[in-house]
Amino acid sequence: MNTCKRKFLLFPLIISLLLSLPSCAPVTSHYAVLDDYLLKGDVTSADAVIEKNKGNYGERNAVLYFMDRGMTLHIAGRYAESNQVLEMAEQRIEDLFTRRVSSEAAAFLTNDNLLQYEGEDFEKVMVNLIRALNYVYMGDIENALVEARKVDHKLNLINDRYAGKKNAYKEDAFARYLAGILYEAGGYSEQNDAWVSYRKSLQTFEDYAAFYSTPIPPVAVQDVLRLSDALGQQDILEEMKKQFPDAEVQSYSANKDKGEVVFISFNGKAPIKEDNFLDIPLSPEALVYVLETSKENRDVKNTVRGVSAIQGELIRIAFPKFVPQKSEIAYADVSLIPQEAGSVIEKRTVLMEDITAIAVRNLNDRFTRIAAKAVARAAVKKVLAVAIQQRAEKEGGPMAGLLAGVVANAAAFATEQADKRSWRTLPDEIQLARITAPPGTYDVHIKYIGKNGGVLSQKVIPNITIKTGEKKFLSNRILR
C-alpha cells in the first residue's frame, strides 16, 4: 500500500473515533449518590452503589472499579473482601505495567481515555496502603507489614522508569510510620526494626514538608526520640534534640503497663480531574515531537513528512488537572472515657498524609511526559486534517476540500480530551492519634473540629477493651 492510500485511510478512522467519543468518557454520575450515602454514614449503601454500577465502568476501567470497590468495602468493615478486590486491582495494574495495550495506536489519535486505566502512580501505592490497614483491622500484623513494605518497593520500581524525570513521591511517610507501629506491636524483639521505620518515616515527612508544604507530625518526632532513648542511641538522640528542641522525650518504660488506641481518620474526598485546554500554534518543535513520538507508527510518520507549510495553524491540547476537594476538618479530639473508675484521656489527631497534595504534585511531575505525547497527538491530528483537505480538494474540487477540512478539523478538536479518570473514593487526607491508657473498657468519643473552630461532627465507638501491651486500631471515614 503506498503512502497516499495510507493517509486517506486515516480519515474514516478519525471520523469513526469522533462518533464513538461519548463511550470513551468514564461514567461518573454514581459518585454523587455514593457521596450522599457516605455523608449520612450509610457505608453499606455506599458500597452497594459501586457494585450496582460495576457494568458502567467497563473493561477499560476495571482497575478503577476494583479500587473504588476495595475502598468502599474497607469503609464498610468488610476487610477480607476489600483485600480480595484490591488484589485484583494490583494484578491488573501489574499486567498493564508490563505489556503494551492493543488500543494504544487508536488512543494516540484521540485521547488516553481509550487506554485501559492503570492508575496514577500514587494510586498504585495506595492499593497496598489500604490492604495493609485491612490486615491491621483483621489482626494479621505479619501480612500488614508485608503490604507496608511493598509500598516503597513499588515506588522504587515506578521511579526507575522515569530516568532523569523522577517523581517527588519516592517514599510514603505514612506507610513507613505504620510499619513502625506494627513492629512495635510485635514486642521488644522488634524494637530496632520499629526504630528504623520511624526514622525513615521522619526523613520522608521532612521531604513532604519541602514538596507538599505539610507540617512534620510531632508524634513522628517523639517516636524516634522515644526509641532512640530506649535503644541507647545517644548520638542520634542528642542530634535530634538540637533539631527539634521543643520535642518531648518520653520514656519507653513509662507505658509498659498500659495499652494503646491508634485512631486513624480518613477525612474528606480525593481531588477530581478536569480538562485543561490549551490552543497553541503548531510550531517546528511540535513537528519534531510528532516525528519523535511517531516512531512506532509508520503510517503517521510518513503522513507527517508528506505535509508542509502548516506551521502556525492552531492545535488544541488537553491536559488533566487535579481540582482539590479539601476537607472541612481541622482535627479530631479523641477521648477515651472509662466505663469504670478512672480519668478521661484525650488526644488530638494530626495530619499524616495529604493525599490531595501528593496527587497534585504527582500529576505535575508527570506533566512533561504527558505534554510531549499531547502535543505530538494534536499535531498529528492537525497534519492529517490538512492532508485530508488537500487530497479531497485535488480529487473533488475546492468545495469537497473545504467540507473535508471542516469535518476533519472538528474531529481533531472534539476528540482532544484529557484522561480525567482517578480513584475518587480515596480521602483528601489521613490523620492519626495515638492514645495510651491503662487496661480497661472505654467508650471512644470522637469530636471533629472544623477549620473555623466549630464542632462539625461527633461519633462514639463504645465498649473498646484495652489490654496491657496491646495496640487497638480504630478508624473512621468522614466525608466533610
Side-chain angles (χ1 to χ4, degrees), residues 328-331 448-456:
E328 302 172 57
I329 305 295
Y331 57 86
Y448 283 101
I449 308 300
K451 291 174 180 172
N452 61 0
V455 177
L456 291 181

Side-chain angles (χ1 to χ4, degrees), residues 31 50 57 63-72 74 82 86 89 93 117 119-120 122-131 269-273 322 325 355 359 420-428 477:
Y31 286 115
I50 299 297
Y57 282 81
V63 167
L64 206 52
Y65 165 75
F66 292 138
M67 287 174 167
D68 279 343
R69 187 81 203 284
M71 192 66 201
T72 54
H74 172 83
S82 173
L86 289 175
I93 290 168
Y117 188 67
E120 292 285 347
F122 79 95
E123 293 173 342
K124 297 169 187 170
V125 172
M126 290 294 156
V127 167
N128 297 102
L129 192 55
I130 302 301
R131 277 171 60 82
K269 297 187 289 187
I272 58 174
K273 284 179 185 167
F322 269 120
Q325 305 185 96
I355 293 175
K420 297 186 286 294
R421 295 172 291 182
S422 63
W423 188 355
R424 292 179 56 164
T425 52
L426 281 173
D428 165 43
R477 174 69 187 267

